[in-house]
Each structure stands twice: as structure tokens, then as C-alpha cells.
């Protein structure tokens, strides 16, 4: 009887400590980052400093270029990711509905999932040019497979008794997908979407670093070449914040879905 | 004319290697009138669920099985099933589950909402319409299952041990509730159970099934007056029926 009580009263305290430890670690890191270059221990030329970063951030955010870079990158990402979602969900449900198709598709899908989509970039550029289209294609490929793979896994675990309910009440094929298969695989789908966001974002930046004349990746590459570490970091931070925000949103959806489906 | 006609129906399951088949039900004959309440009892594995699934159109059969004269070839809106467990959609609320059948039938929105509300009220779950199945007790979940089946407006209500997972007391209450609803709706009802008292209490006729092979052994008419009361279960007529059925079922276990 005593152990659970102790654990219960002990856990929130530990949680608070952990949280503070995290904040303190960040503060210490920022302090060292600021002080060490000033003391000449490391070369500020390569590391920049938080205070310089803050100044650079103000400059960058005030520039029209930053916003047009951001708009371009987000456009490439959004179109590629959106297409991936729109194609991957029906594909995953369709292939997943048949155990045989699932068995056949799983291995090649897995191989394509594991291979980084960037290895296709040279080919995509050859086919689609160096502009928008090849970036969209890279994002599409990077996002598509995590979604399909996770949906297939979800379809594999689906409770046959719930599918039977659909049949009993006369669900059409389409109704079965939308009212049974899709909600039943929602936890898997959300995991797939979260992975897809990360991979898609990585791909668009990497593709821009390799070949482009604008966009966040291009600017990161350019600032790297001209050793504007402060500005490079502002752009890099932008990518982190976008990625973090999107996966947090999906994480919240996962929590909400989990809360309603389980007692 | 009987509403459901089962003539020389046999049902087999193929083994995974598809080389042999297992006969779960052999040569079943039964005719059920509209509005009748029929219960099916028998030891586990005698093919009760199998026979019910065939009527539901979920498993193929040999022989003749008709509803209103038309051969059963699959599930249809003229039938609805209540399963023992785990058949509510966990991501839908009580209201969302009850409307499911009507949504599949693409009925107008307003009609769906009103009909769902009506049946949620009938099973006494008004206060829980916005709850998810995971937040309900076993008895409440089965009320939702019954409401969902009735809301779809079937002519025949099929129930496979719907109260099998409930405790004895809840089970008795649910039985009474079910009869009240059935008397109001007058659907044809087929109810599978392995509880002899439940079988007698609910039924116009009790179908007794036996094992090895799975078959219908006898059909016993229950001439107790409607409406049934819990007190009836202590009366000599009820106890007689109980003794008779128990003797029947004991044969199988010997
Ligand atoms: N899907 C199935 N595949 C193969 N055999 C089955 C299947 N379902 C049931 N059976 C077998 O058929 C017989 C009757 O089962 P069932 O109808 O579930 O019995 P009951 O509901 O009376 O307990 C049992 O021997 C059971 O093992
Ligand atoms: Mg059974």
C-alpha cells in the first residue's frame, strides 16, 4: 500500500526538478556560448554569440528577403506534403484492406521508406528541372512512405470485429474506409504524419541547399559560404521552430484521439 | 407465412489449408413468425453463433435460408445484430454509435439525429449521449448496442449472447428491459444464450441445439403469459420448463 502513495507524491516533485534542470542547462549553455567567444577560448567567427544572434534575428526578420525565402520554402513543403497526404491515405487504406496486397507491398515500400529521398534528387532534377517542381517531388517522396507504411501497419492490427460491424450495418466500400478503417488506424496515421513532417521538412531544406536560387536552404548555404554564422543560425532556428510546432500540433491530436478512444 | 425460413441448412468452415472442412451445423430446420421472440440455447461450440451468423448473412451456408421469401446472400438492412462485446466503435460517442446504421443507410441528417435520440432515450442513456464507450459500464455498452441495432430499423433483431459478459443481476435487469423494448417495437427477435433461465424468460419458443454434430435437437414452446415478470421464474410452470431443458442439455455433456 505504501509504495504507490510514495510514488504519487514523489513524482510531481521530480517533474518540477527535471523541468528546472532543463531550463538551467539551456541558460548555462547560452552563457558559455556568450562568454567563451568573448574570452577568446573559441573563435567567434565560427560560433557567433547569442547576443549577435539576437541582433541578426532583428535584422533578418525585418528583411523582405527572409519572408520571401520562408514563403517559397513553405510553399514547396506544403504542396509536396499535401499531395503526399492526399495520395498516401487512400493508397494505404486500399492496399491495407487486402492482406495479400499488404504482404506484396510491404517490402518494397519499406525499402523506399528506409532509402533517403535525397538520393533521388539528381534524377528528379533531370526530370523536373531545378525549380519548384523538383523540390515538391522530393518532399512528396520523403513524406509519402512514412504515411503509407504506418497506415499499412495500422490496417494490419485493425480489430476484425469492428470491420464486421461495418458489414452488418451495410456499409459500402467507401463508407467502410471512412467510418471504420480510417478512424481505427488514426493513431498509426498520426504517427506517420509526424514522421512525414520531419522528413519532408528535412528534404526541402536539403534540396534547396544542393540546388536552388532562393529559399531557406539556399540562404543557409549562402550564409555558410560567406561565414555569416549569426544569420545562418537565424534561418536554421526558423526551420526548428516550424518543425517543432507542426509535430507538437500532431502530438496534441494524438493525445486527444487517445483520450477519447481509451477509457 | 413465416418471416424466416431455415430448411435443411448446413454450415461448414474451411480449415486454414483449405483441404478439409468442418461441419459446424448440420441439417437445421426452423421457421420463425414475424414478431416472434426465439431464443437459442445449447452447450458452447454447438453452432449457435454460426447459425445466427448465417441468418445475418455473414457466413455462407448450404440449404435454403430465406427472409420474407428472399434467399439470404449477405447482410441487409432488414436485419441488425447485437454482439456480445467489443463491437461499439470506440472513437464514437454513444450518440455517434447509435446513428451508425442510419448513416450507412444515408438517411437525412435530421431524421438520423431524432431517431438516435429516441432510441438512446428508450434504453435510458439520455444523460450519457456524449460519452465514449470506454467511459461506460458493460451493461450500458450493451444498451448502446441494442439502441444501435434498433435505430437501424431492422425487421429482425439478432442477438448473440448480448448479456453474456454481464453479472447476474445486471443481466436480469437487461432481460426485463429488452422485453419492454421488444413489446414496444414488435421486431422479430432471435437471441442466443447459454443461460437456460434467460432463454425461457425471454422466449416464445426455445430452440435447443446439440453438439457433435451441431444441430437443432428440439424446439420448445413457452406458454407463459406475456408480459413476463421476475416472479414468474419461481412458478411451477417455469421450473418445469427449466428442468426439461436442463435434462436436454445434460444429454450433451454426458
Ligand atoms: N471462423 C471459424 N472457423 C472455423 N471453425 C469455426 C469458426 N467459428 C466457429 N467455428 C467452430 O464451429 C463450431 C461452432 O462454433 P460456434 O457457432 O461459435 O458455437 P457456439 O456459439 O454455440 O459456442 C465450434 O466447434 C467452433 O470451433
Ligand atoms: Mg457463440
Amino acid at each position: 500500500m505504501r509504495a504507490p502513495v510514495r510514488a504519487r507524491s514523489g513524482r510531481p516533485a521530480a517533474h518540477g526538478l527535471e523541468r528546472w534542470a532543463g531550463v538551467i542547462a539551456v541558460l548555462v549553455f547560452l552563457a558559455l556560448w556568450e562568454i567563451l567567444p568573448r574570452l577568446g577560448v573559441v573563435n567567434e567567427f565560427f560560433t557567433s554569440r547569442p547576443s549577435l544572434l539576437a541582433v541578426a534575428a532583428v535584422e533578418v526578420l525585418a528583411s523582405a528577403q527572409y519572408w520571401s525565402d520562408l514563403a517559397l520554402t513553405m510553399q514547396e513543403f506544403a504542396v509536396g506534403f499535401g499531395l503526399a497526404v492526399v495520395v498516401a491515405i487512400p493508397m494505404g487504406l486500399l492496399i491495407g484492406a487486402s492482406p495479400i496486397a499488404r504482404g506484396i507491398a510491404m517490402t518494397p515500400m519499406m525499402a523506399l521508406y528506409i532509402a533517403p529521398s535525397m538520393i533521388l534528387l539528381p534524377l528528379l532534377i533531370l526530370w523536373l528541372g531545378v525549380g519548384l517542381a523538383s523540390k515538391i517531388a522530393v518532399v512528396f517522396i520523403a513524406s509519402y512512405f512514412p504515411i503509407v507504411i504506418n497506415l499499412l501497419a495500422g490496417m494490419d492490427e485493425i480489430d476484425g470485429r469492428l470491420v464486421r460491424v461495418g458489414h452488418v450495418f451495410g456499409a459500402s466500400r467507401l463508407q467502410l474506409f471512412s467510418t471504420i478503417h480510417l478512424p481505427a488506424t488514426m493513431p498509426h496515421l498520426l504517427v506517420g504524419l509526424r514522421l512525414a513532417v520531419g522528413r519532408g521538412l528535412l528534404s526541402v531544406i536539403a534540396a534547396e541547399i544542393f540546388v536552388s536560387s532562393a529559399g531557406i536552404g539556399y540562404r543557409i548555404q549562402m550564409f555558410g559560404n560567406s561565414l555569416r554564422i549569426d544569420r545562418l543560425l537565424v534561418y536554421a532556428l526558423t526551420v526548428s521552430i516550424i518543425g517543432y510546432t507542426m509535430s507538437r500540433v500532431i502530438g496534441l491530436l494524438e493525445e486527444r484521439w487517445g483520450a477519447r478512444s481509451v477509457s | 407465412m413465416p418471416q424466416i425460413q431455415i430448411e435443411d441448412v448446413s454450415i461448414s468452415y474451411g480449415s486454414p489449408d483449405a483441404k478439409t472442412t468442418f461441419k459446424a451445423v448440420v441439417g437445421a430446420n426452423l421457421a420463425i413468425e414475424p414478431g416472434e421472440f426465439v431464443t437459442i440455447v445449447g452447450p458452447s461450440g454447438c453452432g449457435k453463433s454460426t447459425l445466427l451468423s448465417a441468418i445475418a448473412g455473414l457466413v455462407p451456408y448450404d440449404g435454403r435460408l430465406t427472409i420474407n421469401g428472399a434467399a439470404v446472400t449477405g447482410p441487409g438492412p432488414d436485419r441488425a445484430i447485437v454482439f456480445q462485446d467489443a463491437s461499439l466503435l470506440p472513437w464514437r460517442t454513444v450518440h455517434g454509435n447509435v446513428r451508425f446504421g442510419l448513416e450507412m443507410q444515408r438517411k437525412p441528417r435530421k431524421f438520423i439525429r431524432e431517431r438516435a435520440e429516441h432510441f438512446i432515450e428508450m434504453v435510458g442513456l439520455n444523460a450519457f449521449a456524449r460519452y465514449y464507450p470506454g467511459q461506460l459500464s458493460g451493461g450500458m455498452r450493451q444498451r448502446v448496442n441494442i439502441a444501435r441495432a434498433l435505430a437501424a430499423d431492422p425487421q429482425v433483431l439478432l442477438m448473440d449472447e448480448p448479456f453474456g459478459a454481464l453479472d447476474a443481476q445486471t443481466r436480469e435487469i437487461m432481460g426485463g428491459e429488452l422485453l419492454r423494448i421488444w413489446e414496444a417495437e414488435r421486431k422479430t427477435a432471435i437471441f442466443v444464450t447459454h443461460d437456460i433461465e434467460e432463454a425461457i424468460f425471454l422466449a416464445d419458443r426455445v430452440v435447443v441445439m446439440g453438439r457433435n454434430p451441431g444441430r437443432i435437437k428440439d424446439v420448445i414452446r413457452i406458454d407463459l403469459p406475456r408480459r413476463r415478470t421476475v416472479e414468474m421464474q419461481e412458478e411451477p410452470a417455469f421450473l418445469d420448463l427449466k428442468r426439461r431443458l436442463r435434462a436436454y442439455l445434460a444429454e450433451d455433456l454426458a
Side-chain angles (χ1 to χ4, degrees), chain B residues 44-45 47-50 84 160-161 192:
Chain B
S44 83
K48 302 184 296 293
S49 298
T50 301
Q84 179 171 329
D160 192 356
E161 306 203 28
V192 168

Side-chain angles (χ1 to χ4, degrees), chain B residues 54-71:
Chain B
I55 299 169
L58 293 173
V59 296
Y61 57 87
D62 294 315
R64 254 174 64 80
L65 203 178
T66 60
I67 294 181
N68 299 323

Side-chain angles (χ1 to χ4, degrees), chain B residues 59 81 229:
Chain B
V59 296
I81 300 203
T229 60

Side-chain angles (χ1 to χ4, degrees), chain B residues 11-16 22-25 40-53 59 160-161 192-194 209-212 214:
Chain B
I11 306 156
S12 308
Y13 290 110
S15 61
F22 170 76
K23 289 205 175 228
V25 175
I40 304 178
V41 274
S44 83
C46 69
K48 302 184 296 293
S49 298
T50 301
L51 184 58
L52 199 75
S53 301
V59 296
D160 192 356
E161 306 203 28
V192 168
T193 177
H194 57 246
M209 289 186 70
R211 264 196 302 221
N212 302 321

Side-chain angles (χ1 to χ4, degrees), chain A residues 164-165 167 169 175 183 260 263, chain B residues 75 83 87 91 103-104 132 134:
Chain A
R164 189 179 58 179
V165 168
H167 286 303
F169 285 98
Q175 285 175 323
R260 61 149 71 169
S263 50
Chain B
F83 295 105
S87 73
W91 53 84
E103 282 179 28
M104 297 307 104
Y132 289 95

